[in-house]
Amino acid sequence: MRSRPRMLAPLPCAIVLAAFIAIAGIGRGPAPLPPGATADDTSDDRVTGTVGGPVVVTPRGFGAPLHAEHVTVWIWSLERVEPGERIAVSGRLRKPRGFLGPGSPDRGIVTASRGAQWELSATHVERITNEPGWVASTWRWAARVQRSLSAQIQGPGGEPAARAALDGIVTGDRTRIPAQLDARWRAVGIYHVLSVSGLHLAVIAGLAFALLRRLFAASPLGGRSRPARWAAPAAILLAIAYTLITGAQLATLRALIVVTIVLVAQMLDRPVRLVDALGLAAIAILVWRPQDLHDPSFQLSFVAALTLALIPPRDAQPVVSLCTRVWRWLGRGLATSAWVVVTTAPITALHFHQVAAGGVIGNLVLTPLVELAALPLGLAGALLGALTGLGATFIDIAVWIVACVDDVSAVLAHAMPVGSIAIESPLLAGALVTLGLWSCHRRERTRSELVVWIALCAAWAAAPVAAAPGALRVTFLDVGQGDAAIIELPGGEVWLVDAGGIASSHDLAAASRPGEAIERALAVYGHDRIDLAILSHPHPDHYLGLARIRLPITELWFAADPAAPDVSPMSFTRMTSELARRGTRLVRPPLGSRTTEAGVTLTVWAPRYAAAAGTREVLAPDPVRTVNDNSLVVTVEYAGRTILFAGDLEAEGEEALVAAGVPTVDVVKVAHHGSRTSSSATFVAATRPSLAVISCGLANTFGFPADEVLARWRRAGAAIARTDLDGAVTVTIDQAGDLSVERYAHPRP
């Protein structure tokens, strides 16, 4: 008689529904402001409150929740702050939104998962009182223990990168992990073990419970009571302590609840199903912090755990040879790992635009080495070292294991690179997760499942948001205080005008963050290369994003002289040299040149320079003009429509462009982010666009765009689109010349 396939239990169904709603996204109401504060303006605010826990340490500084009356603000400070301190911080209160554009993550979700509604980077910290209660004292104890364990791991000897990775694995401190190691482990799907995950806690709690149970069973009291009754409470306390020491991350909290339920069941000698424990954990977390529904780590953690719980158990097998048992174990392990990749891939494609197919092998081969060998040895060595100073040998062995795992990851990463697969629709991601979970829990495979797999493949194929056939699509991205625009040609070619950059950042990783927004948008649109990049001028807010872009760039156009002596990591010279090393052709195009691809014509208009009166003008910076006025200016024409990219021209450069005969256009990328030194009356009258797009940062320090500039464009009949308010602005021109405009923050109904 054929057995019927298992059905989802009520609690797992609730988890699936909750995860689906989370992926689809639920709107959050406006949060109240701290007393006397004004968010997203150009002046500093002063917020007074009590520091909560845990305090995290990152390259950006110390991060912590600040409880200010009825609202919580997440603060970043270069000065160490401690839980329980009452402080007054000064800085600009921000709505944590990130970049509003295709594929860019919502920083508000991350901040909400930390229990905060606002974000503030402190320029000054005033300490008022320091009288921690028992909760704050507990967080301080946990932070001291974490620092002590980390100090033991960061000893001499061994690979520094492996020690940094072991520190993240054991204590959750990821501040020293090199970006190259991070990328390798991400490529093979084991990135999750670089921080303290739910699996870490399950391993530690399970080993502690097994050891304590055996010790109690061997003691004189072992025959008088069930060992599990005494071992379980101690293991639960150890699990709670480890959760606090490692920062109480969301995945760890989920595992703590599940572990507690399982150990309590062991203590009471009651059976418990993993799916029911997961359901209770989901309910507990969401009752405590409903906003965690939106957190990618919540979605990934529960979907991965639910997948493992739903895979049907293996039927009883006849006794076979050891070799056959090993092959069966490997086959089941590969199948299980593959199902986890299938069910979680839509979530990673939605939030991170990556799918690590290498996780099928990495999680089967490498994760056990880290979880069952490096983690216990590293933790035991750190504890022994902190208590007795005798744990160095254990740590050295753990570091060697991590180094071996990294060596294998480096080999596998070349064979199994991370796939750039993007999903823009949360509903589509939710449907894919649901289909994957439904399919993995079935015990018997039927022909009807072929339909499911065809549906999965079709949905994945539909994931990229491609432009309409035969249309030119230009997306002016929100990259903060900077410029970046993606031009998609009807033939599939991709051009990029400027790449953004955060000029106020002194760290290249932070300064180049707009490049990640560009790559994410390209992934959403289904592109894996840039055929032509155009840099208007060598200011950091226009070129630093190139440092983060890893897609191949065939050709780079610029007008500035790249041979300046500055070779610092963030210089224009260093950036162009790095691109040339990667195979990009560096080109200074001729003035007036017209390049046509797929019916789209690109024309170079400026900068114009004549060495002497009466000589022919060439494309070169004029030495008497500013860098802004020497911007490389181009127009893009298609189906009778024209779009002008004006760089950061100011009045003098605009006058030269008008004198050169710049035509009327349909869309203009407003020069210099809407500065009052640009958009002269002469230039506005000469171009007369129907749409003026201003790329600027929300509540930027310069006060861009200026009110008089906005009024000038409006009087000329132009509609205004602003990336600080509208997010990414997309202009589409179809084959008939019809022009449409979409604002990312205000989608069409």
Side-chain angles (χ1 to χ4, degrees):
M1 180 175 177
R2 295 177 61 184
S3 60
R4 298 179 62 187
R6 291 188 311 162
M7 301 301 293
L8 287 172
L11 281 175
C13 283
I15 299 175
V16 175
L17 179 61
F20 181 80
I21 295 173
I23 294 169
I26 300 177
R28 299 181 297 275
L33 286 166
T38 303
D40 298 334
D41 62 358
T42 57
S43 60
D44 282 358
D45 296 286
R46 188 174 187 270
V47 180
T48 302
T50 303
V51 179
V55 175
V56 300
V57 184
T58 72
R60 186 177 178 180
F62 299 92
L66 183 70
H67 304 298
E69 294 193 9
H70 302 297
V71 65
T72 300
V73 178
W74 185 266
I75 63 169
W76 293 103
S77 171
L78 295 178
E79 302 179 44
R80 179 180 291 277
V81 293
E82 297 284 357
E85 280 189 303
R86 185 163 181 80
I87 61 176
V89 292
S90 298
R92 292 188 180 174
L93 193 67
R94 301 282 192 182
K95 184 187 303 176
R97 69 164 204 180
F99 300 136
L100 296 182
S104 291
D106 185 350
R107 281 178 56 196
I109 293 176
V110 178
T111 305
S113 70
R114 293 165 169 163
Q117 296 82 40
W118 303 97
E119 191 174 34
L120 184 146
S121 294
T123 56
H124 177 71
V125 177
E126 177 187 343
R127 304 179 192 274
I128 301 173
T129 59
N130 189 4
E131 300 174 357
W134 71 269
V135 174
S137 297
T138 302
W139 282 120
R140 291 189 182 193
W141 166 83
R144 287 195 299 271
V145 174
Q146 185 194 46
R147 291 195 293 270
S148 176
L149 297 179
S150 181
Q152 296 298 320
I153 294 173
Q154 292 299 329
E159 289 285 340
R163 283 194 177 271
L166 183 65
D167 197 3
I169 292 165
V170 174
T171 72
D173 184 354
R174 302 184 69 256
T175 55
R176 302 177 185 87
I177 296 177
Q180 296 85 351
L181 184 145
D182 187 290
R184 289 192 295 269
W185 289 39
R186 190 185 297 271
V188 297
I190 61 171
Y191 168 78
H192 57 92
V193 304
L194 283 175
S195 58
V196 178
S197 64
L199 184 56
H200 283 49
L201 185 67
V203 169
I204 295 301
L207 291 175
F209 175 69
L211 178 62
L212 291 170
R213 185 171 58 179
R214 288 182 178 276
L215 289 175
F216 186 82
S219 71
L221 299 175
R224 302 179 184 179
S225 177
R226 292 181 60 251
R229 185 168 297 175
W230 297 97
I236 291 173
L237 290 176
L238 288 173
I240 293 172
Y242 188 63
T243 300
L244 293 173
I245 290 168
T246 56
Q249 300 300 312
L250 185 59
T252 320
L253 289 173
R254 182 264 301 165
L256 176 62
I257 297 172
V258 173
V259 164
T260 301
I261 293 171
V262 172
L263 290 178
V264 169
Q266 288 284 327
M267 184 173 62
L268 300 178
D269 196 20
R270 293 288 189 271
V272 62
R273 296 190 310 171
L274 179 57
V275 288
D276 294 330
L278 284 169
L280 289 173
I283 292 171
I285 288 177
L286 295 178
V287 167
W288 174 41
R289 289 193 318 200
Q291 64 272 15
D292 284 342
L293 268 173
H294 302 269
D295 193 342
S297 64
F298 176 91
Q299 297 167 10
L300 287 169
S301 175
F302 275 94
V303 169
L306 187 57
T307 302
L308 296 175
L310 292 177
I311 292 176
R314 183 178 55 183
D315 294 330
Q317 299 287 335
V319 177
V320 293
S321 65
L322 176 61
C323 182
T324 302
R325 289 200 299 270
V326 170
W327 277 110
R328 286 179 177 175
W329 177 83
L330 286 174
R332 184 168 178 82
L334 284 171
T336 300
S337 185
W339 276 119
V340 172
V341 170
V342 167
T343 55
T344 58
I347 302 175
T348 60
L350 176 68
H351 294 290
F352 311 115
H353 294 170
Q354 292 180 337
V355 173
V360 176
I361 302 298
N363 282 308
L364 179 66
V365 178
L366 301 179
T367 297
L369 288 175
V370 175
E371 298 287 356
L372 301 179
L375 171 62
L377 286 171
L379 181 59
L383 287 171
L384 285 173
L387 296 174
T388 66
L390 301 177
T393 301
F394 291 103
I395 293 175
D396 289 342
I397 296 173
V399 169
W400 177 78
I401 293 172
V402 172
C404 291
V405 169
D406 187 40
D407 291 339
V408 176
S409 298
V411 175
L412 290 178
H414 291 290
M416 299 179 179
V418 175
S420 296
I421 301 177
I423 293 179
E424 179 68 3
S425 168
L427 289 174
L428 175 59
L432 289 170
V433 169
T434 304
L435 282 172
L437 289 172
W438 177 84
S439 186
C440 83
H441 94 282
R442 293 176 59 83
R443 183 182 295 273
E444 295 183 4
R445 304 299 170 194
T446 64
R447 292 180 179 178
S448 63
E449 291 193 331
L450 178 61
V451 177
V452 175
W453 282 107
I454 292 175
L456 279 170
C457 295
W460 276 108
V465 185
L472 172 74
R473 183 166 63 179
V474 179
T475 303
F476 300 89
L477 292 173
D478 171 21
V479 290
Q481 185 55 37
D483 274 11
I486 295 171
I487 304 173
E488 299 169 273
L489 277 61
E493 297 85 355
V494 176
W495 297 343
L496 175 69
V497 179
D498 287 326
I502 303 176
S504 59
S505 294
H506 301 291
D507 172 68
L508 181 59
S512 62
R513 192 161 55 88
E516 181 179 350
I518 295 170
E519 278 204 333
R520 286 175 174 271
L522 288 172
V524 168
Y525 291 160
H527 300 295
D528 58 5
R529 74 186 191 285
I530 297 172
D531 298 283
L532 171 64
I534 300 170
L535 290 181
S536 62
H537 63 295
H539 275 169
D541 58 331
H542 291 253
Y543 72 78
L544 276 177
L546 289 172
R548 187 72 69 94
I549 297 176
R550 290 291 171 251
L551 298 179
I553 300 175
T554 304
E555 195 164 287
L556 175 71
W557 286 8
F558 57 89
D561 182 5
D566 184 5
V567 291
S568 62
M570 296 172 62
S571 71
F572 180 71
T573 303
R574 183 71 170 267
M575 212 65 59
T576 53
S577 299
E578 175 62 22
L579 286 173
R581 187 189 67 79
R582 287 164 44 190
T584 301
R585 294 193 302 271
L586 305 184
V587 176
R588 181 175 293 178
L591 183 64
S593 64
R594 294 172 63 86
T595 301
T596 301
E597 291 282 349
V600 180
T601 301
L602 176 67
T603 305
V604 177
W605 284 90
R608 316 177 77 89
Y609 174 62
T615 61
R616 185 172 64 90
E617 290 183 321
V618 297
L619 185 105
D622 188 328
V624 301
R625 291 183 184 152
T626 65
V627 174
N628 284 345
D629 279 323
N630 280 317
S631 291
L632 176 59
V633 178
V634 299
T635 56
V636 172
E637 302 167 66
Y638 180 67
R641 301 281 192 170
T642 304
I643 302 176
L644 171 67
F645 295 86
D648 271 5
L649 288 180
E650 296 182 276
E652 186 176 358
E654 290 178 343
E655 290 176 4
L657 195 60
V658 171
V662 65
T664 59
V665 299
D666 298 279
V667 180
V668 63
K669 197 291 298 181
V670 173
H672 202 194
H673 320 289
S675 165
R676 58 174 46 89
T677 60
S678 304
S679 299
S680 62
T682 303
F683 181 72
V684 171
T687 55
R688 297 197 307 278
S690 59
L691 176 68
V693 180
I694 301 174
S695 183
C696 61
L698 182 66
N700 60 83
T701 58
F702 308 101
F704 296 157
D707 290 339
E708 57 264 40
V709 168
L710 296 175
R712 202 172 295 142
W713 286 110
R714 288 189 178 114
R715 284 196 300 269
I720 304 292
R722 298 169 47 172
T723 60
D724 60 334
L725 302 180
D726 301 321
V729 179
T730 302
V731 175
T732 303
I733 303 172
D734 65 17
Q735 290 174 298
D738 293 331
L739 185 149
S740 61
V741 181
E742 295 183 25
R743 294 165 167 82
Y744 188 83
H746 310 285
R748 292 177 177 176

